[in-house]
Amino acid sequence: MPASKRFLPPEAVKRVQRLELRARHIVEGFLSGAHRSPYFGQSVEFVQHRQYVPGDDVRHVDWKVWARQDRLVIKQYEEDTNLRCALLIDSSESMSYGGKGQTKFDYACTLAACLALLVLRQQDAVGSVLFDNKIRSRVPLRTSQRHLTDIVVSLENTQPAQKTNLDSVFRDVVQTFPRRGLMVLISDLLGAEDSSLRGVDTLRRAGHDVMVLHVLDDDELDFPFADPTRFEGLETSDHLTCNPRALREGYLQALERFLDHVRRACAASKSDYLLVRTSDAPDAVLAKLLSDRMHTVRR
Amino acid sequence: MQFLFQPLTWGFLLLAVPILIHLINLLRHRKQPWAAMDFLLESYRRNRRWVMLKQWLLLAARLLAMFLLVAMLAKWVSGTQWLSWIGGQTTQHYILLDDSYSMGEVDQNESAYQRGLQAVAGLIRSIAGSPGQHQITLVRWSRAALALANQDGDGRLDAAADLLGQSVSRDPDRLLDRVNATQPTAMQLSPEQPLELVAPMISRQAEQQHDVYLVTDLRRNEFGEPETLRNQLLPLAQSSTRLHLIDCAQDGGQNLSLVSVAPEQEVWAVGVPLMVRFQVRNRTAREVKNVVVRVRSVTYGEDSVTPRVDLPYSGDIVDLPPVVIEKISAGETVTRRVQVVFGVPGEHVVETSLADDVLDVDNRRWCTIPIQRSQRVLLVDGDPTQTSAFYFEKVIKPDARFSTGMDFDKVDASYLRDAAPDSLKQFDVIALLDVPRLDPQAIDKLEAYCREGGGILFTGGPQTNLKFVNEQLYRSGQGIYPLPLQSIDELPADQPTEEPMVMAQEHPILAPLLQLESSPFFMLQIRRQFRTDQQALADTTLDLVATGQNRQPLVVDKSFGAGRCVAVLTGLTSEWSNWAQDPTFVVFAIRSLGYLSSFRRPATSHPVGSPVRMSVTGQAVLPEAEVIVPARGDGMRIRLQQSVAVDDEQEVSRLNLAVDIGQTQRDVVDSLLRAGLFEAWMTNAQGDYVVNNLAHNVAAAEGDLERIAASDLEQKLRGVPVRIRAAKTIIGQGTNAPETVHSTLLMALLALLLLGEQVLAYSASYHTPTGAR
């Protein structure tokens, strides 16, 4: 199966096409687009008046004010710019877990591919970074429609391995993407909780609009194991032989505490957060994510 | 810990199943790569102790549940171990089972002994159902009697007990397997013997609680005069021993008994008619009519019979005409005689039997009759004319065609002086006829002869020396002459009298003459008669056979050692009396000689349980002999091999089969305690069989089925608290109720435990949540 088919199932593509990704925070771009820019320019969104000075484009003079007040003022508009969206995909070994055939990494790749497609359809720039404890693969930001192939190939060629270290990775990402843009982190955030959250904070402090798609498998969320099992850590050498039913309640409590902590941290850093089950349809997840985001932006 | 169904206790191996499952579960697990190990380890750290505790509790609950399930199925019946762990007291139960032959009384197709066994089973069940630690000792009365007779010291109870200190079980059928196969013996037994056996044990274990159960039929002959029993029970009661009497019999038993059978004390010789006397007692409360007594003679001709176990007897059986007794009143004993003749010498047998009734054992009796070719009489006449001897000679050998079964040797007094001491043993009777004087050696020989069972007949006469008789023969009652002689009474001759001068007394010698309608002694004239000391007549060992003039003793009989001495206090010559010419003299001579010869004969019957002995003198026999014992019921008789002990010096071969419960095999003991004919067989060097028969008969008194009322017995056992219960109130006791309670308790415990196990398992999340895999 070609990589484009693997990570972009036709049904998902069909539904994603109808979605729109909007930057919630101000992002910097070279082109005019649908996203707010830190630069004032031509736009329908009026921002303020300023005193006319010689050299100003007379097209921006507010003639209604001149007629009423007999003074020349220039109308200033919020400039729209293009979106620069970086997809940060966790490819640590913990992402290799998948209870029902599809691993978390596969699912994360699907989400990333769908987002890339969506962004490119909007004429925005998209790039990708695959990382574990360091960056494994990087695809620069492009707006070309053919750029999607580069991203998908990059996803295809990466296998989950190594531990996670988001903090150090995101320092590199910040340097790689100095201009403010949208950072979409797709990860299970397992392995190093504090490091992960520090990494998110690093991105946010760099001015990026951050979206966290927290991907977890159904097994990890429900812990449905019944028979005696020897659990062997994917990113650690720990192992535990136990009757999983006896530990289920404690496990779920610990997991819930972790999720709650992550939610709070994301909220504190004004990052978007969405917990995603691998059993959820990717298009539905994106639809919900973008719908919530649009709602937030319009407010 | 006791279980009713022992084989099911193998089910306790199932206890290993939960452990195995636990171990298998520890080993059997699948590997699962896992990303969120941190949360899992955190949960494990937090719950480890509680999870482990729950697992151990769950395992323990399952083990206990399995244990209870198997215990319930196997009918766990005892909590004795639990009590012993906390120092519970042991109760010793002594069950003393009456197995005398009266326990064989059958009522409604069930004997009292069977009811006794059922009562014992009920008792054991009841004991098993009661709390505490219990041990049971079961002793049959017969074994107690044998142990007391044969054993010494502490081993007596060990040898006698069928169960000794046996931990109680709720499975009496298993516990009583040995006892249930037993039958009542043919012995007469009393409760004193088993009580004597267990009393020392009770006194030695004073710190323990004791219960003594007498399982018996409460016959009046055993409990009617219970002074001895009371004396035995009183110390037991004072030592806090609880006493129980279990009554196994039913009222109203109707029993006819053959109480004796024995040959008359006559001449037992070939071809001589012999009267066998038997007695039938009506022990019922009503008159019985037309009682038929079957009589059989069994001839064991020398060199003509061989041992046969497939027949009732090895000898030739002849059915004699049955004797019909027209009526026997309630409580009456009727005596009848039947004549038998044996044509060959040997140890012959006469069997008498009644029709079956409620108690069969006392309906048959046997006697053995050793028949000789002839009996030898030594006639010692002190008169040189040997007149007296002539009269006896004519009686013993009237002519060549007619045999009285006796031969005689006629000698003078010097023969006794010169004869070897043992040479007198060849004679069955010695008649001292008007002997004036005997040498001291002769007197010693005669006393030795008589002491060993020989019979001596004295007659008087002109030669008789009163002083010699009194000083040498009577010797103040120590000698062989029955009484002292004072003088000779001269009686007027030929005086007409209305009644006979001589009168026969109740004595075997002249008993036939007493049955005549008129006295046969009218023609008898006694002209001279020894007068005796009247004080000597007070001797209780002296029997009067006949009286003469003025009812003075004319013929007296006295025992000396095992033998008897009969003295005629007159002479046979015409100067002294005309008795020798009187027909009654023939009767007197034959019967007195027969009577006197009977005491050196072996007993014609023995009590049940007597040893079987046989000795052969003067011929070599093979070292192996055999004893054929009577069969139980109509079965085949049993052949027992026995060794012969040989005394080379005396050339005697002896066989001795005695009941010794310490040595004899159990089934052999049972067979030796039966009534019937025991045949002892040896084989001599020529290959010919030599047989000795022994008749073992039951004691007549045991056949009296009259019972003593419980209230009467309680009154007689005053001061001794005895709980008297009927066997029917105990039979079946404890069969269901305690077991049911026990099982119900176990089931309730099991249900509670399973419920707890489920709760525990649920609490430990051992149930698969929805969607689990």
Side-chain angles (χ1 to χ4, degrees):
Chain A
M1 183 186 290
S4 58
K5 291 284 185 185
R6 179 182 169 194
F7 297 130
L8 285 172
E11 302 79 24
V13 171
K14 200 171 179 180
R15 294 191 60 182
V16 166
Q17 284 177 343
R18 294 196 295 268
L19 300 177
E20 178 187 11
L21 175 61
R22 298 289 301 272
R24 192 156 62 92
H25 302 283
I26 295 169
V27 296
E28 298 175 47
F30 298 106
L31 302 175
S32 298
H35 316 286
R36 287 194 302 168
S37 167
Y39 309 107
F40 297 107
Q42 294 177 341
S43 175
V44 293
E45 297 288 333
F46 171 77
V47 178
Q48 62 185 353
H49 287 103
R50 72 169 171 83
Q51 192 66 37
Y52 172 78
V53 293
D56 288 340
D57 190 347
V58 295
R59 288 179 297 178
H60 297 300
V61 174
D62 189 344
W63 296 109
K64 290 181 181 175
V65 173
W66 175 76
R68 286 198 296 269
Q69 299 180 2
D70 192 19
R71 59 187 185 100
L72 289 173
V73 294
I74 295 298
K75 288 197 285 187
Q76 287 188 322
Y77 298 89
E78 186 180 29
E79 185 185 58
D80 286 348
T81 184
N82 63 320
L83 175 67
R84 298 168 62 82
C85 177
L87 303 171
L88 311 177
I89 301 142
D90 184 358
S91 63
S92 65
E93 192 162 7
S94 65
M95 291 293 284
S96 66
Y97 181 80
K100 296 177 181 173
Q102 186 183 30
T103 65
K104 288 188 286 185
F105 182 72
D106 290 344
Y107 191 84
C109 290
T110 301
L111 283 178
C114 289
L115 280 170
L117 174 66
L118 174 62
V119 171
L120 290 174
R121 295 265 182 188
Q122 292 179 180
Q123 308 296 323
D124 291 327
V126 67
S128 67
V129 173
L130 286 114
F131 62 91
D132 38 53
N133 54 1
K134 60 185 179 180
I135 294 173
R136 294 292 171 192
S137 170
R138 180 185 296 125
V139 177
L141 301 172
R142 296 281 190 277
T143 58
S144 167
Q145 292 297 317
R146 289 191 298 275
H147 188 55
L148 179 62
T149 306
D150 298 337
I151 293 173
V152 169
V153 169
S154 171
L155 296 173
E156 176 73 15
N157 290 338
T158 304
Q159 291 297 323
Q162 300 298 325
K163 293 185 178 179
T164 314
N165 190 346
L166 266 63
D167 192 22
S168 64
V169 168
F170 286 176
R171 291 180 198 280
D172 293 344
V173 169
V174 168
Q175 292 174 0
T176 306
F177 300 101
R179 299 185 65 181
R180 286 184 287 179
L182 176 61
M183 295 290 168
V184 180
L185 171 62
I186 307 174
S187 170
D188 57 8
L189 302 179
L190 296 177
E193 179 184 341
D194 294 336
S195 164
S196 302
L197 296 178
R198 274 201 308 275
V200 171
D201 196 47
T202 301
L203 292 177
R204 207 44 210 107
R205 276 191 276 109
H208 293 292
D209 186 4
V210 179
M211 288 174 59
V212 177
L213 294 179
H214 192 181
V215 178
L216 288 174
D217 193 86
D218 285 351
D219 290 350
E220 292 170 331
L221 288 168
D222 299 330
F223 203 68
F225 302 100
D227 299 326
T229 307
R230 176 186 168 94
F231 292 96
E232 296 176 337
L234 285 170
E235 293 188 21
T236 66
S237 59
D238 295 330
H239 59 84
L240 176 65
T241 303
C242 65
N243 187 332
R245 287 175 293 192
L247 300 180
R248 181 173 182 270
E249 189 176 348
Y251 169 84
L252 292 179
Q253 287 174 354
L255 177 65
E256 187 56 40
R257 280 194 298 275
F258 166 69
L259 294 177
D260 192 47
H261 183 59
V262 172
R263 280 192 203 99
R264 289 174 186 275
C266 289
S269 63
K270 297 182 178 173
S271 302
D272 288 337
Y273 172 84
L274 183 64
L275 176 63
V276 180
R277 284 175 175 266
T278 53
S279 61
D280 294 339
D283 52 335
V285 170
L286 289 178
K288 182 176 186 306
L289 172 70
L290 299 180
S291 171
D292 292 347
R293 190 171 179 80
M294 285 292 289
H295 180 69
T296 308
V297 170
R298 282 174 185 152
R299 279 186 305 181
Chain B
M1 192 176 289
Q2 301 290 332
F3 297 93
L4 199 58
F5 304 121
Q6 282 290 331
L8 289 183
T9 54
W10 287 100
F12 283 120
L13 293 176
L14 292 175
L15 285 175
V17 171
I19 298 172
L20 285 175
I21 290 174
H22 184 77
L23 294 175
I24 289 170
N25 278 339
L26 285 180
L27 298 173
R28 186 183 62 87
H29 56 257
R30 65 189 182 95
K31 289 184 179 179
Q32 176 67 55
W34 191 246
M37 279 303 289
D38 289 344
F39 313 133
L40 199 55
L41 290 171
E42 181 182 341
S43 173
Y44 176 72
R45 281 191 293 272
R46 288 190 174 187
N47 296 298
R48 178 175 52 194
R49 289 183 182 174
W50 186 228
V51 167
M52 291 294 288
L53 179 64
K54 280 184 177 178
Q55 282 183 343
W56 284 115
L57 284 175
L58 200 59
L59 179 63
R62 286 170 178 169
L63 285 172
L64 192 56
M66 192 62 76
F67 174 83
L68 288 177
L69 179 66
V70 177
M72 190 178 69
L73 293 176
K75 298 282 185 190
W76 186 16
V77 293
S78 174
T80 56
Q81 294 297 318
W82 298 357
L83 287 174
S84 66
W85 292 341
I86 58 172
Q89 191 183 42
T90 300
T91 304
Q92 297 286 347
H93 299 267
Y94 294 94
I95 300 175
L96 310 179
L97 177 60
D98 183 357
D99 61 341
S100 61
Y101 79 79
S102 63
M103 289 287 281
E105 179 201 7
V106 176
D107 182 72
Q108 296 174 346
N109 296 323
E110 188 177 48
S111 71
Y113 191 74
Q114 288 170 322
R115 278 192 293 275
L117 289 175
Q118 293 171 27
V120 170
L123 269 178
I124 294 178
R125 288 194 191 99
S126 174
I127 290 166
S130 57
Q133 190 172 5
H134 303 273
Q135 290 187 336
I136 289 177
T137 298
L138 192 149
V139 182
R140 283 179 281 165
W141 292 13
S142 63
R143 298 314 194 261
L146 292 171
L148 289 174
N150 300 329
Q151 301 282 316
D152 292 324
D154 294 339
R156 293 191 305 195
L157 186 57
D158 294 354
D162 290 297
L163 299 174
L164 181 63
Q166 185 84 34
S167 290
V168 71
S169 162
R170 192 74 71 83
D171 185 4
D173 292 336
R174 184 186 61 78
L175 199 63
L176 296 174
D177 271 349
R178 278 178 54 186
V179 184
N180 280 333
T182 62
Q183 297 281 340
T185 65
M187 299 176 76
Q188 181 186 22
L189 300 162
S190 70
E192 285 84 8
Q193 291 151 329
L195 284 171
E196 183 183 343
L197 195 66
V198 301
M201 184 66 77
I202 292 174
S203 63
R204 275 203 297 272
Q205 299 172 334
E207 75 284 358
Q208 297 182 349
Q209 176 65 47
H210 300 275
D211 279 79
V212 174
Y213 305 85
L214 283 168
V215 183
T216 180
D217 49 6
L218 286 185
R219 305 297 177 190
R220 186 169 286 279
N221 63 61
E222 292 168 359
F223 293 91
E225 299 297 331
E227 274 308 308
T228 309
L229 179 63
R230 183 176 177 276
N231 292 336
Q232 282 186 301
L233 293 180
L234 197 55
L236 294 179
Q238 288 169 348
S239 65
S240 303
T241 299
R242 292 187 293 250
L243 303 171
H244 309 260
L245 265 172
I246 313 298
D247 182 9
C248 305
Q250 311 273 2
D251 289 328
Q254 307 287 304
N255 187 31
L256 277 179
S257 300
L258 264 169
V259 296
S260 72
V261 57
E264 294 277 3
Q265 291 171 302
E266 299 175 340
V267 175
W268 299 351
V270 171
V272 177
L274 166 67
M275 300 304 291
V276 174
R277 185 183 66 249
F278 60 85
Q279 291 180 307
V280 180
R281 183 173 178 82
N282 178 10
R283 302 186 189 276
T284 69
R286 58 183 172 76
E287 178 184 272
V288 292
K289 294 182 177 178
N290 298 323
V291 176
V292 178
V293 182
R294 290 182 60 208
V295 183
R296 295 200 289 185
S297 67
V298 187
T299 303
Y300 287 79
E302 290 177 355
D303 307 331
S304 65
V305 291
T306 55
R308 298 283 300 273
V309 294
D310 54 333
L311 297 175
Y313 307 103
S314 300
D316 300 323
I317 303 171
V318 176
D319 285 315
L320 301 177
V323 177
V324 180
I325 304 173
E326 289 183 358
K327 67 172 184 178
I328 309 176
S329 303
E332 184 187 11
T333 301
V334 172
T335 302
R336 290 289 185 272
R337 291 175 178 80
V338 62
Q339 179 177 286
V340 294
V341 180
F342 295 100
V344 292
E347 188 91 37
H348 306 308
V349 176
V350 171
E351 179 212 82
T352 54
S353 60
L354 291 168
D356 290 346
D357 55 16
V358 294
L359 185 59
D360 291 339
V361 181
D362 64 349
N363 290 337
R364 295 175 79 190
R365 278 188 175 270
W366 300 260
C367 67
T368 56
I369 306 174
I371 296 294
Q372 300 172 257
R373 290 192 182 281
S374 63
Q375 293 188 352
R376 297 187 65 185
V377 180
L378 181 66
L379 299 176
V380 183
D381 198 337
D383 186 354
T385 62
Q386 299 201 330
T387 308
S388 299
F390 170 77
Y391 294 131
F392 275 94
E393 181 184 332
K394 286 302 173 188
V395 169
I396 294 169
K397 286 280 187 185
D399 61 37
R401 294 171 302 171
F402 189 79
S403 172
T404 60
M406 290 186 282
D407 282 329
F408 63 87
D409 288 354
K410 196 164 59 176
V411 296
D412 57 21
S414 61
Y415 175 82
L416 295 176
R417 182 193 62 206
D418 302 333
D422 288 343
S423 63
L424 295 183
K425 291 181 181 176
Q426 62 184 306
F427 300 105
D428 295 287
V429 186
I430 296 175
L432 298 175
L433 309 174
D434 194 19
V435 175
R437 181 173 291 277
L438 290 170
D439 292 323
Q441 301 95 317
I443 294 172
D444 291 343
K445 292 172 192 171
L446 287 172
E447 287 183 353
Y449 169 79
C450 192
R451 199 173 281 117
E452 293 177 2
I456 300 176
L457 175 66
F458 296 95
T459 63
Q463 306 298 323
T464 302
N465 185 330
L466 298 187
K467 186 179 178 186
F468 167 74
V469 169
N470 290 334
E471 292 180 356
Q472 301 297 322
L473 296 182
Y474 176 66
R475 288 210 319 277
S476 302
Q478 303 301 310
I480 52 177
Y481 203 81
L483 74 181
L485 304 178
Q486 287 184 334
S487 59
I488 300 173
D489 286 344
E490 298 282 346
L491 304 176
D494 302 328
Q495 284 186 335
T497 55
E498 292 183 355
E499 57 181 21
M501 180 182 289
V502 175
M503 293 188 71
Q505 304 296 311
E506 286 287 347
H507 191 277
I509 293 177
L510 295 178
L513 301 180
L514 285 174
Q515 297 171 359
L516 302 174
E517 292 183 356
S518 60
S519 173
F521 296 109
F522 274 105
M523 303 301 293
L524 185 55
Q525 291 291 321
I526 305 297
R527 300 184 180 99
R528 290 180 183 173
Q529 182 176 342
F530 294 121
R531 177 179 288 275
T532 183
D533 184 359
Q534 290 300 315
Q535 290 182 347
L537 298 176
D539 186 350
T540 55
T541 62
L542 191 73
D543 294 330
L544 209 55
V545 180
T547 57
Q549 184 71 26
N550 300 325
R551 300 296 172 258
Q552 290 296 310
L554 179 65
V555 182
V556 293
D557 173 26
K558 187 180 179 185
S559 64
F560 183 86
R564 305 288 294 193
C565 299
V566 172
V568 180
L569 303 184
T570 186
L572 299 180
T573 58
S574 57
E575 294 83 10
W576 283 69
S577 73
N578 66 348
W579 200 7
Q581 292 82 39
D582 192 271
T584 58
F585 178 72
V586 177
V587 176
F588 169 76
I590 291 177
R591 288 191 63 84
S592 62
L593 292 175
Y595 170 77
L596 287 169
S597 67
S598 65
F599 296 97
R600 52 183 279 162
R601 294 170 183 152
T604 58
S605 72
H606 304 268
V608 168
S610 301
V612 177
R613 293 196 176 109
M614 176 181 181
S615 62
V616 173
T617 306
Q619 57 179 322
V621 298
L622 299 184
E624 284 294 324
E626 60 187 30
V627 176
I628 299 178
V629 302
R632 175 185 289 177
D634 296 328
M636 186 177 285
R637 295 192 295 167
I638 302 169
R639 189 195 306 264
L640 302 176
Q641 300 293 332
Q642 288 292 309
S643 300
V644 175
V646 179
D647 185 343
D648 291 329
E649 289 186 3
Q650 298 184 354
E651 295 184 345
V652 179
S653 302
R654 291 190 177 89
L655 178 152
N656 185 14
L657 176 58
V659 184
D660 184 349
I661 58 172
Q663 303 291 330
T664 315
Q665 290 180 358
R666 171 187 155 80
D667 52 346
V668 174
V669 171
D670 289 339
S671 60
L672 292 178
L673 298 183
R674 293 174 192 158
L677 185 71
F678 290 73
E679 298 174 358
W681 294 87
M682 289 189 192
T683 309
N684 63 20
Q686 288 73 42
D688 298 326
Y689 284 109
V690 182
V691 63
N692 182 39
N693 294 321
L694 295 110
H696 286 188
N697 288 319
V698 298
E702 186 70 25
D704 186 355
L705 301 183
E706 186 184 1
R707 286 157 42 74
I708 187 168
S711 56
D712 193 8
L713 183 60
E714 283 174 343
Q715 186 180 3
K716 290 184 174 182
L717 292 175
R718 62 197 177 283
V720 180
V722 178
R723 184 182 181 194
I724 302 176
R725 285 178 285 174
K728 62 185 177 185
T729 65
I730 300 172
I731 294 172
Q733 193 176 74
T735 49
N736 294 317
E739 286 174 10
T740 305
V741 171
H742 228 84
S743 297
T744 307
L745 275 174
L746 287 178
M747 192 178 291
L749 268 176
L750 182 62
L752 282 174
L753 200 62
L754 289 176
L755 189 64
E757 185 268 343
Q758 286 296 300
V759 171
L760 203 59
Y762 185 81
S763 171
S765 300
Y766 274 39
H767 293 276
T768 307
T770 307
R773 62 182 166 85

